[in-house]
């Protein structure tokens, strides 16, 4: 849209130049005049309902009271926001709102951070003349597992209902009845089970919506607050950590214009309980006589260092494996990268768990998109996981682009997805049949899709929709779009915490820090800082596990990873961990993959260390520390630096900030990325490479894929937002929301299998089997069977697409 | 006085079957619709402008001017507002029930004039019999090819859908009606930008016209605009349906020319006050309008402009007559209770304010009034309708909130002593024993 000339608006006698087309309330605010409001929210469409923002504007027939939130500025507008008429109107509205509002402040969570309190104080009449009987409701009522509703406190501003309809696409709460009896409520037998319900709690201007997790826990003036970026979603939504007495009590969304606009998923918002879990590993654990015993750091590090020396002397760097590192900060990842190459002498390192796209494509694709590219695209193609489940913050941005900004959305996914209702076109396919569908599109058999992909500006979000797709399909999709579109922008999708930061720091066998290929030229660039680097070709996770199983690899360093539960086909992981000679785990908890480890070293977690992280568009943001972690936990980088010392090969990483400085000098793509920049000029984060150059520029490559399987039923395994991952397992509030061991069947297929809704069925693949509860689901097409991945009580089914389903319950 | 009947002529001449297609065609029906097919949009708009036809739904906006505001985007839609819910109004009911084809022919003419190919007739849910009659008329028109594809053998398509409301007065407000038609809550939209002529039904340009308004159209085309203007007072043209109810001997609907006086209406046409009682107050234009009293207004002419100058409005032509036995506080509370009950709830002053007003009035009526309560009512009213002006300066999204204020103005202007009597007595001096309606 072409830039318009600013217009002149006079507010309370003072002239201002304001952006044409802006709302009066927003323009006033930007120029120092605060107009009180309840229903208006910067990120939602204005509705002019609460009437608190009334101002007087000079019109052709004299002065008029208008709501400034629905009034667009016009050149020459004359506005009074403080005269007698306006003040009376403001006092009137507040008196009306307080008429039926219960005097709950002493017991209301919102007290101290309540817009109604604040504006009653600043703009209200001081006393109410209402002496009648106030409205009563049963209070509070749970409208979901996470949210409680108090209808007496509600001022019917519709922020929550509008958010649910307009932003999240989950219109599960709505106004019911009319007039003075209007109430917000859910529909019968349909709770407010939205993945985004927590946002309504934050934007509610009173204490009508409260969080079951936070209710009665603290007063805002008791809270210590520190800003950071959420790590559950690779968009890294900006948030604020609130704690009291060093215990984290809640996360609150912070508006970052580049990424989350202040919103976050409930997993991000409520998924922090694991940090304070009593089951955290807080002292180093060393296996003695078959048992893990608590020891001091010196003893633990000595034991590991000794083993490192032995293995390296005997068999060299190839006998080591390093798996993990996707959940730490960039500084942690850099330390791990340096440790593997310098101390272990190996390129066997991978932050992916055999469930991601190629490292070069993820880290360094050409034409990488920014999230903001979604906003002015002609077409957006989403071919990958259901964004609502795996990338909820990104889902909100895509939804907004399609709904508000006229972007044509094309969705390709094996079953119903959260974006279908906003899609102009939706194509389905049977798991395993992705390449065949891509061929069809390339041959012109879906002309509307081809037309959409030939538009001037196309953004493609390419990821792995289901395990049966394999890792190369997404890149082939991106390659196809690059050939068709006028100009294409690519956003490769990966979901694990700080995977993009990890890859940028070289946590892949073929990458070195700074988006540099692990070849001779790349090594030469690092030699000055790291010394001589191993030249043997590194192994990825799958190959490392095979090596552990066969004995070629003797020692495994597992950093924040649980392959047995987290890999699509965990058979290899189970065998590998069983066979491994020596396993060292740096982690927060004991879990299935490190239960039999030789050493477990307690690590600091989110909010317990300073550092940076890189999100899905290559944006680096600063993560801040609220307080140190429990017990003797230490950040990964500190453990590795100490371990390197003990192993006689120091890597010189004295502090996280110094690591960031080192990264900025040795990692080409991170030139200029310093903490100072991120804390001052670039508070929304900085996209790398800052200067625009990186040595590795990967052009997406199309490959030929496998044919679609012709079996009657094909298996679609994909993640849901809540599952049995280690962090979720220790977050009770969310863990109980995981779907559990269910299998979604199309009603036709269910009938053929003799299965009814709620009955137990047996699901069998080539590489796994288990008993699951049947859910009849018309959104799962005939011929497709959907099993949510890694659920409590579930069973691994592998990556083969062919599946059989038989009823167990008769 | 003899009055040429226009929209009620057929039903008065043929009381048993005026609603049937046979009678309609036998009395000149569907001739003008055919003529309209041969006229251009401009010709039709100009003819209606020249007739001076004012909307009969209450706002009295010139119909031709409304049509000329239609934005150019297509498709365009026509919505007939049959949500007649203003207390005291029941004239559309009679038109719908007794002469639905007349309205339907008006719909066809309006559609042609506005390039509309789908019209919706929204009838309040509490009118099942009128709705059945309208649906039967629509079905009969379809059967004869007067609706559907190629009406009257022309190339013009027109679909008509009859839709029932679900019991909300606010759905008589045109944008709330449109919301209701689209399946949303019946809540008025913000104007600007959602003026129906620009962004109405499904965000397309839409004409919303009242039942009585379009019922006039076949007659305007038949007699010509000039003759139509000569039927009534020169500024208010044509005839006007008045519903009269309350304490008169002959309540009912009357088709009258503009310009007769209130005295003539009540004492001649409506048969005088029942039981010979004294006239105490009258509501001239439906429950939204400020009240009149005989001492000041009895000799006024019943025209839009005279009513406006007297600080009220003619509205939809609903006259409620109250005699000396009526407690004004009880009457005021009843009207305010209606608006509180019908408030859509979107905006704070109406949602909270109308109920507050209702509660205070009930408290006064039940004997717990305080001396300060009338001033309290007036200040609360001022926070809904700034300056207590008529037409209102709203703090609200639509005029429903300010409408609730009208009875309170009457208490202030004419019946303050009655309020004081309730307070001093600690009860209602009229001591009605029957339960509230």
């Amino acid at each position: 849209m072409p830039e318009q000339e600013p217009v002149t608006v006079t507010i309370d006698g003072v002239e201002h130049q304001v952006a044409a087309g802006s709302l009066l309330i927003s323009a006033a605010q930007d120029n120092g005049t605060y107009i009180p409001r309840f229903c208006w929210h910067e990120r939602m469409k204005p509705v002019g309902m609460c009437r608190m923002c009334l101002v007087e504007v000079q019109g052709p027939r004299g002065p008029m009271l208008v709501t400034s939130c629905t009034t667009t500025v016009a050149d020459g507008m004359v506005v009074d926001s403080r005269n007698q008429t306006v003040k009376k109107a403001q006092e009137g509205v507040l008196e009306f709102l307080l008429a039926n509002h219960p005097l709950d402040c002493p017991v209301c969570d919102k007290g101290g951070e309540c817009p109604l309190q604040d504006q009653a104080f600043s703009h209200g009449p001081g006393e109410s003349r209402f002496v009648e009987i106030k409205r009563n409701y049963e209070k509070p009522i749970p409208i979901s597992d996470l949210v409680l509703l108090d209808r007496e406190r509600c001022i019917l501003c519709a922020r929550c209902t509008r958010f649910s309809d307009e932003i999240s696409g989950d219109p599960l709460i709505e106004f019911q009845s009319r007039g003075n009896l209007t109430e917000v409520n859910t529909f019968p037998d349909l709770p407010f089970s939205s993945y985004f319900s927590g946002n309504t709690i934050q934007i509610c201007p009173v204490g009508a919506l409260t969080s079951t997790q936070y209710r009665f826990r603290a007063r805002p003036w008791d809270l210590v607050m520190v800003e950071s970026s959420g790590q559950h979603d690779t968009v890294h939504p900006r948030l604020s950590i609130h704690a009291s007495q060093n215990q984290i009590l809640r996360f609150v969304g912070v508006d970052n214009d580049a990424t989350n606009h202040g919103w976050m998923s409930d997993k991000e918002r409520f998924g922090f309980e694991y940090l304070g879990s009593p089951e955290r590993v807080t002292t180093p654990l060393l296996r003695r006589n078959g048992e893990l015993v608590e020891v001091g750091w010196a003893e633990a590090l000595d034991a590991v260092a000794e083993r490192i020396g032995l293995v390296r002397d005997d068999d060299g760097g190839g006998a080591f494996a390093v798996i993990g590192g996707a959940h730490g900060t960039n500084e942690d990842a850099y330390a791990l990268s340096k440790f593997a190459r310098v101390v272990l002498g190996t390129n066997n390192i991978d932050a992916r768990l055999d469930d991601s796209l190629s490292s070069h494509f993820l880290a360094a694709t050409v034409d990488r998109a920014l999230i903001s590219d979604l906003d002015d695209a002609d077409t957006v193609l989403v071919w990958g996981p259901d964004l609502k489940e795996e990338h909820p913050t990104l889902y909100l941005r895509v939804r907004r682009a399609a709904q508000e900004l006229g972007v044509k959305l094309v969705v390709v996914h094996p079953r119903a997805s959260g974006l279908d209702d906003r899609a102009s076109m939706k194509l389905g396919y049977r798991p395993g049949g992705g390449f065949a569908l891509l061929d069809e599109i390339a041959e012109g058999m879906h002309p509307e899709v081809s037309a959409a992909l030939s538009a001037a500006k196309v953004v493609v979000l390419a990821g792995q929709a289901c395990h049966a797709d394999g890792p190369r399909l997404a890149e082939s999709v991106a390659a196809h779009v690059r050939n068709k579109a006028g100009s294409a922008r690519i956003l490769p999708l990966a979901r694990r915490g700080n995977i993009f930061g990890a890859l940028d720091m070289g946590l892949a066998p073929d990458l070195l820090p700074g988006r540099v290929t692990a070849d001779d030229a790349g090594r030469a660039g690092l030699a000055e800082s790291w010394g001589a680097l191993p030249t043997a070709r590194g192994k990825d996770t799958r190959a490392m596990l095979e090596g552990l199983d066969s004995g070629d690899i003797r020692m495994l360093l597992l950093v924040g990873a649980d392959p047995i539960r987290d890999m699509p086909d965990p058979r290899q992981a189970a065998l590998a961990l069983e066979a491994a000679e020596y396993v060292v785990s740096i982690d927060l908890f004991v879990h299935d993959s490190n239960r039999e480890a030789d050493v477990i070293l307690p690590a600091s977690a989110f909010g317990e260390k300073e550092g940076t992280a890189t999100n899905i568009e290559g944006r680096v943001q600063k993560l801040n520390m609220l307080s140190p972690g429990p017990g003797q936990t230490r950040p990964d980088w500190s453990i590795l630096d100490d371990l390197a010392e003990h192993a006689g090969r120091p890597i010189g990483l004295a502090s996280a900030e110094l690591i960031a400085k080192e990264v900025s000098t040795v990692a080409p793509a991170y030139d200029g990325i310093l903490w100072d920049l991120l804390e001052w000029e670039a508070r929304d984060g900085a996209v790398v490479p800052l200067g625009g150059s990186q040595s590795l520029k990967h052009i997406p490559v199309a490959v030929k894929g496998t044919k679609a399987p012709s079996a009657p039923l094909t298996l679609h395994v994909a993640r849901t937002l809540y599952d049995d991952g280690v962090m979720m397992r220790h977050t009770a509030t969310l863990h109980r929301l995981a779907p559990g061991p269910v299998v979604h069947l199309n009603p036709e297929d269910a009938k053929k299998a003799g299965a009814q809704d709620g009955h137990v069925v047996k699901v069998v693949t080539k590489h796994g089997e288990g008993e699951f509860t049947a859910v009849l689901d018309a959104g799962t097409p005939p011929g497709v069977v959907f099993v949510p991945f890694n659920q409590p009580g579930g069973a691994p089914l592998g990556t083969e697409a062919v599946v059989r389903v038989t009823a167990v319950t008769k | 006085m003899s009055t040429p009947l226009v929209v009620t002529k057929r039903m008065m001449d043929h009381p048993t079957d005026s609603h049937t297609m046979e009678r309609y065609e036998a009395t000149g029906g569907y001739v003008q619709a055919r003529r309209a097919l041969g006229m251009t949009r401009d010709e039709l708009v100009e003819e209606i402008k020249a007739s001076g036809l004012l909307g009969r739904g209450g706002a009295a906006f010139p119909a031709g001017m409304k049509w000329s505001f239609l934005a150019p985007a297509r498709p365009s839609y026509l919505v007939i507002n049959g949500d007649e819910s203003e207390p005291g109004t029941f004239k559309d009911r009679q038109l719908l029930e007794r002469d639905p084809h007349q309205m339907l022919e008006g719909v066809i003419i309006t559609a042609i004039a506005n390039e509309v190919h789908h019209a919706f007739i929204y009838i309040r849910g509490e009118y099942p019999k009128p709705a059945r009659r309208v649906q039967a008329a629509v079905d009969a028109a379809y059967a004869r090819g007067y609706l559907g594809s190629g009406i009257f053998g022309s190339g013009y398509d027109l679909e008509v859908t009859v839709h029932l409301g679900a019991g909300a007065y606010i759905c008589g407000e045109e944008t709330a009606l449109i919301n209701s038609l689209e399946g949303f809550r019946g809540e008025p939209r913000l104007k600007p930008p959602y003026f129906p002529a620009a962004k109405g039904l499904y965000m397309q340009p839409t004409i919303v016209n009242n039942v009585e308004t379009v019922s006039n159209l076949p007659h305007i085309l038949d007699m010509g605009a000039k003759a139509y203007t000569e039927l009534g007072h020169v500024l208010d043209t044509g005839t006007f349906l008045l519903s009269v109810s309350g304490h008169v001997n002959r309540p009912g609907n009357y088709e009258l020319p503009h310009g007769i006086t209130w005295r003539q209406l009540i004492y001649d046409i409506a048969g005088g006050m029942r039981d010979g009682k004294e006239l105490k107050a009258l509501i001239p234009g439906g429950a939204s309008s400020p009240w009149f009293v005989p001492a000041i207004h009895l000799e006024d002419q019943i025209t839009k402009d005279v009513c406006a100058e007297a600080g009220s409005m003619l509205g939809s032509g609903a006259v409620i007559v109250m005699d000396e036995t009526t407690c004004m506080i009880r009457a005021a509370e009843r009207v305010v209770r209606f608006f509180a009950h019908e408030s859509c709830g979107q905006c704070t002053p109406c949602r909270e304010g109308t109920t507050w007003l209702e509660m205070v009035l009930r408290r006064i009526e039940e004997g717990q009034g305080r001396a300060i309560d009338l001033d309290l009512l007036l200040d609360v009213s001022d926070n809904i309708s700034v300056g207590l002006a008529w037409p209102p300066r709203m703090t609200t999204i639509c005029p429903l909130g300010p409408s609730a204020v009208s009875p309170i103005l009457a208490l202030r202007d004419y019946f303050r002593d009655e309020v004081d009597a309730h307070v001093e007595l600690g009860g209602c001096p009229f001591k009605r024993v029957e339960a509230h309606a």
Side-chain angles (χ1 to χ4, degrees), chain B residues 41 67 69-77 111-117 197 204-206:
Chain B
R41 164 165 159 79
W67 293 5
F69 285 163
L70 189 71
R74 293 292 177 263
S76 52
Y77 293 106
I112 294 166
N114 290 288
E115 297 170 350
V116 165
H117 299 285
Q204 295 295 123
T206 304

Side-chain angles (χ1 to χ4, degrees), chain B residues 248-251 254 264-274:
Chain B
V248 291
N249 283 318
R250 284 205 303 271
Y254 294 95
Q264 287 170 304
L265 175 70
I266 293 171
Y267 292 103
D268 297 341
I269 293 167
M273 301 297 293
R274 65 154 191 202

Side-chain angles (χ1 to χ4, degrees), chain A residues 32 54 261 275 282 298-299 320 344 357 386 398 417 509 513 624 631 665 809:
Chain A
L54 286 169
H261 292 179
L275 296 168
T282 55
E299 186 176 349
F320 293 103
L344 301 180
L357 316 181
D386 186 351
V398 174
S417 86
N624 292 307
T665 56
T809 321

Side-chain angles (χ1 to χ4, degrees), chain B residues 247 280 291 322-334 361 364-365 411 415 418-419 422 427-432:
Chain B
H247 300 153
K280 187 167 177 187
W291 300 4
M322 293 179 269
D323 71 17
E324 61 193 88
T325 65
T326 315
C327 169
M328 293 289 102
I329 283 71
R330 184 163 176 241
E333 189 269 343
R334 185 61 192 89
L361 283 169
I364 296 172
E365 171 67 5
L411 296 181
F415 303 109
E418 211 164 306
V419 180
H422 277 72
C428 175
F430 294 83
K431 276 198 178 44
R432 293 300 292 274

Side-chain angles (χ1 to χ4, degrees), chain A residues 694-712:
Chain A
Q694 62 192 51
S695 67
L696 175 59
K697 295 183 174 53
H698 178 83
I699 297 176
V701 167
V703 297
K704 275 274 159 240
T706 49
K707 262 171 41 111
S710 58

Side-chain angles (χ1 to χ4, degrees), chain A residues 47 49-51 56 63 70 88 92 95-97 100 129-130 132-133 135 155-156 175 177-180, chain B residues 167 185 190 341-344 346-349 351-353 355 359-360 363 379 382-383 393 395-397:
Chain A
V47 287
M49 282 166 64
C50 70
R51 315 308 281 180
E56 206 165 62
T70 59
K88 182 153 200 293
E95 190 181 29
F96 284 136
L97 288 174
N100 277 298
R129 300 167 293 181
F130 185 85
E132 325 302 327
I133 298 179
R135 270 197 306 263
I155 58 167
L156 296 162
F175 276 15
S177 297
R178 179 179 79 205
N180 210 261
Chain B
R185 284 170 63 86
L190 292 165
H341 181 76
E342 297 293 336
S343 166
C344 78
Q346 270 192 106
C347 67
T348 309
R351 180 183 71 240
E352 305 293 340
T355 303
M359 288 171 142
V360 175
R363 199 163 39 74
D379 197 55
D382 186 66
N383 285 336
R393 287 184 67 205
T395 58
T396 51
I397 295 174

Side-chain angles (χ1 to χ4, degrees), chain A residues 720-739:
Chain A
T720 50
L721 191 66
Y722 305 129
D723 58 16
D724 199 30
V726 174
M727 288 181 276
M728 286 296 102
R729 200 180 303 154
H730 295 280
T731 299
T733 296
L734 298 179
H735 193 230
R736 63 171 189 265
L737 301 178

